[in-house]
Structures are given as C-alpha cells and as structure tokens.
Amino acid sequence: GEGGVELARAVMAAADGATRELRFLYELERPAREKIHVLATQVYGAGSVHFSSLALEKLARLEARGFGGLPICMAKTQYS
C-alpha cells in the first residue's frame, strides 16, 4: 500500500551512503566456548552457560579441525 512505499523511501534514505563496518561482540580468535558465552549472556540475557561433556568434545573437535576462528551463529527458539 501507499504507507509501504513511504516507509521504503524512508529506509532507502536512511541507508543511502551509510557505511558501517561489521563488528562482532567477540574477537574471532577466541575459543568457541567463549564466543557462545558472550552471545548467550550479552544477546540473549543468560546468566550463565553450561556445556555438556559431549558439547565440549564436539567444540574441541571442530577447533582441532581448524574451524575455531569462524564466527558463531546462534538462534534462540521459543522452546529453549
């Protein structure tokens, strides 16, 4: 509708010329466990994070295979 067109123009005007550098909440060199802790506490408001022994084993395996420097993608669902 007409309101959508007006909103789209406002968004385009706000984004025009905007150059923002992507900045992570954590340094990519940090261990995956620390990255997950930062996301859980700073994005989702968790008080703490607990890892099962299986989760720690899998994280260690991923890091040993060279995936430790990648960013973490995490989603909280309505069931978590």
Side-chain angles (χ1 to χ4, degrees):
E2 287 299 313
V5 172
E6 184 178 334
L7 174 61
R9 286 190 179 123
V11 170
M12 288 172 49
D16 189 34
T19 56
R20 297 213 179 233
E21 188 176 318
L22 177 63
R23 205 172 44 121
F24 292 98
L25 289 174
Y26 49 77
E27 297 170 1
L28 289 177
E29 306 82 41
R30 308 297 294 185
R33 186 175 178 173
E34 290 180 26
K35 295 176 198 176
I36 291 169
H37 182 268
V38 168
L39 290 173
T41 57
Q42 293 187 24
V43 175
Y44 295 113
S48 62
V49 179
H50 301 280
F51 295 89
S52 69
S53 57
L54 178 60
L56 291 173
E57 288 175 26
K58 287 184 176 187
L59 287 174
R61 202 172 324 140
L62 288 169
E63 289 176 337
R65 291 181 178 165
F67 297 108
L70 295 175
I72 300 289
C73 179
M74 181 187 303
K76 183 176 182 325
T77 69
Q78 67 270 25
Y79 302 112
S80 60

